Amino acid sequence: MPISDAAKQAIRKRASYLCEYCHSPERLSANRFTFDHIIPKSLGGPDEIDNLALACRRCNERRYNFVAGVDPETQEIVPIFNPRQQKWEEHFVWLDNGVVIQGITPIGRATCIRLDLNDTRYPEDDSIRATRRFWIQTGLHPPATDLS
């Protein structure tokens, strides 16, 4: 069932117009963000608003239908970040003035790896890190809510 326009707007507003995984601002994207099924439809997840998260295309594509990842410190399989049940600031912090997201819990670390939140597979000048540096120069990043 398609997501209604009213539900889409409610999801955007609830997320403060940020990707609920990497905290990129939707207003800086050339495209509207997508709606990620926290429990993927392929695993029986519903289209209900409580199962949807605002996600940039990058995070949504990398998340795919994964619900778990490996914590690089413990090598244990843990759930990835669930924005409906967890608070971003309890699992992640910004390093380098907002360039790098660091996971500070097993869930945060596993999510950073699973979604490659910092584009570590790519050279810095061809990655989200370079984009974040530009956003910082404009004063539009990191989100003010992440700095309190």
Side-chain angles (χ1 to χ4, degrees):
M1 174 161 116
I3 303 164
S4 72
D5 288 343
K8 289 177 181 178
Q9 188 55 31
I11 293 164
R12 282 189 173 94
K13 187 174 181 179
R14 175 182 67 196
S16 301
Y17 305 92
L18 299 173
C19 172
E20 294 190 69
Y21 299 104
C22 73
H23 273 201
S24 291
E26 185 178 44
R27 72 181 181 156
L28 297 178
S29 174
N31 298 309
R32 292 263 189 197
F33 284 175
T34 61
F35 300 95
D36 177 54
H37 287 78
I38 296 166
I39 299 170
K41 287 185 84 164
S42 63
L43 299 177
D47 283 333
E48 296 172 6
I49 198 166
D50 288 339
N51 189 48
L52 297 170
L54 189 63
C56 68
R57 292 191 184 279
R58 210 176 135 274
C59 285
N60 199 343
E61 288 173 4
R62 291 175 179 182
R63 186 173 177 290
Y64 186 55
N65 70 344
F66 296 108
V67 294
V70 176
D71 175 8
E73 285 189 18
T74 65
Q75 300 303 308
E76 292 190 23
I77 296 173
V78 298
I80 60 171
F81 177 69
N82 180 328
R84 295 290 68 75
Q85 296 176 353
Q86 297 154 334
K87 295 181 180 182
W88 195 90
E89 62 274 9
E90 292 177 2
H91 296 277
F92 307 98
V93 295
W94 288 107
L95 299 180
D96 196 9
N97 297 313
V99 174
V100 173
I101 299 171
Q102 179 177 352
I104 55 173
T105 65
I107 286 170
R109 291 187 295 268
T111 302
C112 282
I113 299 295
R114 171 58 67 199
L115 276 60
D116 194 18
L117 294 180
N118 298 302
D119 269 351
T120 55
R121 297 178 290 178
Y122 301 101
E124 167 120 11
D125 62 348
D126 188 28
S127 73
I128 189 67
R129 290 166 287 154
T131 302
R132 289 177 186 150
R133 284 190 195 286
F134 175 72
W135 292 344
I136 290 165
Q137 290 174 353
T138 67
L140 298 172
H141 182 79
T145 55
D146 290 355
L147 300 175
S148 49

